[in-house]
Amino acid sequence: MERRRFALAAALAISGCLAAACGGNSGTGNDSSGGGDGAAAKPVIGVDYPRSDTDFWNSYISYVPKMAGDLGAEVKTTNSQNDVAKLTANVQTLVSQGVKGIVMAPQDTAAVAPTLQQLETKKIPAVLVDTRPDTGNAFMVVRADNRAYGEKACKFLGEKLGGKGKVVMLEGDLASINGRDRTEAFNDCMKQNYPGIEVFGEATNWDGAVASQKLSTVMTANPDVKGVYMQSSFALAGTLQVLKQRDLLVPPDDPKHVFVVSNDGIPQELKDIAAGNIDATVSQPADLYAKWALSYAQAAIEGKTFQPGETDHDSTIIQVRPGLLEDQLSAPLVTADGGTYGGITSVKHDDKSLWGNNLS
């Protein structure tokens, strides 16, 4: 599991190694283009923030300038507010401002293809964070294995429910590769490992109000629901409110307890695990998303290239398709006890390696 290494000296050392292709085993995700001096001291990188209406993305936004400073990179930023038309316009603005690389996190992974094509034509490298484009090329995708998110949530709930009962899955948005990956993996895992559990899949478009309303509707018709999988912390407050209204917000050792798993690893989730309000989350690395997205953008500007394989930062670069690599960062299951569920070993909620315990 990725451990926290964000002191300034360490970050600068990692950045220098990245730029100079130093260290590591050959053919395993290290720079394969050879060294060279004369790279710009402060490459200008354009960063489009995808949205600022969730704790997770606000955390990512807070990390970007910190990581840019550690890496010696200059950034210009925009915010597309979950609107692909704004993303397109923002990218054009950043290009007009002379940026040499773009970091973005498109929430609509199909509609971003024309923007990627424009950047490729202009020879401006693009690094995508959290989401992977359905079509089109990019220098690198920095992302965790989202299918593993769904599988970890499935195995935690499957073990807690003893393989029987009903669970509600509050899906993100199936127009997003993340929503599809988490949904498909959760369903596949349940069918294969816990066929006695009935899953109610509810599309929410990453909207907390929609998630709350749909959860309430399902639980009215099925008061014996014993588990909830929220595909992101967007649904956290609403889910807890629904459970509280039904007198189900009780400690885990109470027979009425409904087991809740989230995705993100924000500080509030960790507090709710400690309080017994929810039971687990998958810690999506907001800090490492910012760090490695900027590092790859910097490397791309300097003309470096990468190959599939293990990296020196506890991740694996895979080739999604020709023209698209993805660095899959570590995203651990987090629980109250740090136990093992369905063969998956979790991290205890107060572990200091979790970014949610170190956000200032």
Side-chain angles (χ1 to χ4, degrees):
M1 185 193 74
E2 176 68 32
R3 296 286 172 179
R4 190 171 180 83
R5 302 191 298 269
F6 296 130
L8 176 59
L12 289 172
I14 293 171
S15 174
C17 185
L18 180 65
C22 61
N25 298 321
S26 61
T28 59
N30 295 301
D31 169 21
S32 63
S33 65
D37 297 325
K42 277 190 172 289
V44 182
I45 301 169
V47 181
D48 183 76
Y49 301 137
R51 55 199 303 170
S52 53
D53 58 348
T54 70
D55 288 346
F56 177 81
W57 283 115
N58 283 330
S59 298
Y60 168 78
I61 288 170
S62 74
Y63 278 117
V64 167
K66 297 176 186 177
M67 298 303 178
D70 288 354
L71 294 168
E74 179 182 346
V75 296
K76 295 181 181 294
T77 64
T78 56
N79 191 320
S80 53
Q81 300 174 343
N82 201 26
D83 185 329
V84 72
K86 288 182 180 179
L87 172 61
T88 299
N90 288 347
V91 168
Q92 292 173 349
T93 296
L94 291 169
V95 170
S96 72
Q97 292 176 344
V99 302
K100 302 303 181 183
I102 298 279
V103 173
M104 66 176 87
Q107 304 295 280
D108 188 328
T109 54
V112 73
T115 299
L116 293 177
Q117 180 59 53
Q118 291 170 6
L119 290 173
E120 188 173 20
T121 299
K122 294 178 182 293
K123 300 188 183 304
I124 297 176
V127 175
L128 273 64
V129 177
D130 180 53
T131 60
R132 183 175 70 218
D134 295 356
T135 59
N137 298 332
F139 181 80
M140 185 69 72
V141 174
V142 177
R143 185 172 177 254
D145 183 350
N146 277 244
R147 287 192 62 86
Y149 288 13
E151 182 178 356
K152 290 173 181 178
C154 159
K155 290 190 173 180
F156 179 85
L157 288 175
E159 295 299 311
K160 285 294 186 181
L161 271 61
K164 298 178 181 179
K166 298 177 180 179
V167 302
V168 181
M169 173 167 53
L170 299 174
E171 302 165 352
D173 184 352
L174 299 186
S176 160
I177 184 65
N178 290 354
R180 293 196 300 272
D181 276 358
R182 297 175 199 186
T183 297
E184 291 169 3
F186 187 84
N187 284 332
D188 290 348
C189 171
M190 281 294 182
K191 290 176 183 176
Q192 180 176 349
N193 299 287
Y194 310 103
I197 293 180
E198 182 178 3
V199 178
F200 297 87
E202 301 295 326
T204 70
N205 196 33
W206 306 115
D207 186 309
V210 172
S212 177
Q213 183 271 319
K214 290 195 172 184
L215 176 60
S216 183
T217 298
V218 173
M219 294 193 73
T220 296
N222 300 271
D224 55 344
V225 163
K226 296 299 293 181
V228 178
Y229 171 37
M230 308 180 299
Q231 290 189 359
S232 169
S233 59
F234 75 95
L236 179 62
T239 294
L240 295 183
Q241 184 62 28
V242 169
L243 295 179
K244 183 177 182 180
Q245 290 171 346
R246 296 171 181 274
D247 196 28
L248 297 174
L249 196 60
V250 294
D253 58 356
D254 190 308
K256 294 192 301 182
H257 183 76
V258 175
F259 291 94
V260 179
V261 182
S262 187
N263 285 165
D264 276 345
I266 62 172
Q268 187 58 50
E269 288 175 329
L270 303 183
K271 292 175 183 177
D272 280 322
I273 291 174
N277 294 330
I278 70 172
D279 303 274
T281 187
V282 177
S283 181
Q284 184 168 220
D287 51 355
L288 299 184
Y289 279 1
K291 176 180 179 177
W292 290 109
L294 291 169
S295 296
Y296 282 120
Q298 188 179 62
I301 292 169
E302 295 171 356
K304 311 305 177 183
T305 59
F306 296 85
Q307 299 295 328
E310 299 297 316
T311 72
D312 59 1
H313 51 273
D314 193 29
S315 68
T316 303
I317 296 176
I318 65 168
Q319 179 171 294
V320 178
R321 55 180 179 267
L324 190 65
L325 296 175
E326 177 174 306
D327 188 356
Q328 295 191 330
L329 304 179
S330 176
L333 177 68
V334 182
T335 63
D337 62 359
T340 299
Y341 298 91
I344 296 173
T345 301
S346 66
V347 174
K348 198 172 179 182
H349 66 90
D350 57 359
D351 192 303
K352 294 303 181 183
S353 70
L354 298 170
W355 69 268
N357 285 325
N358 293 282
L359 188 64
S360 58

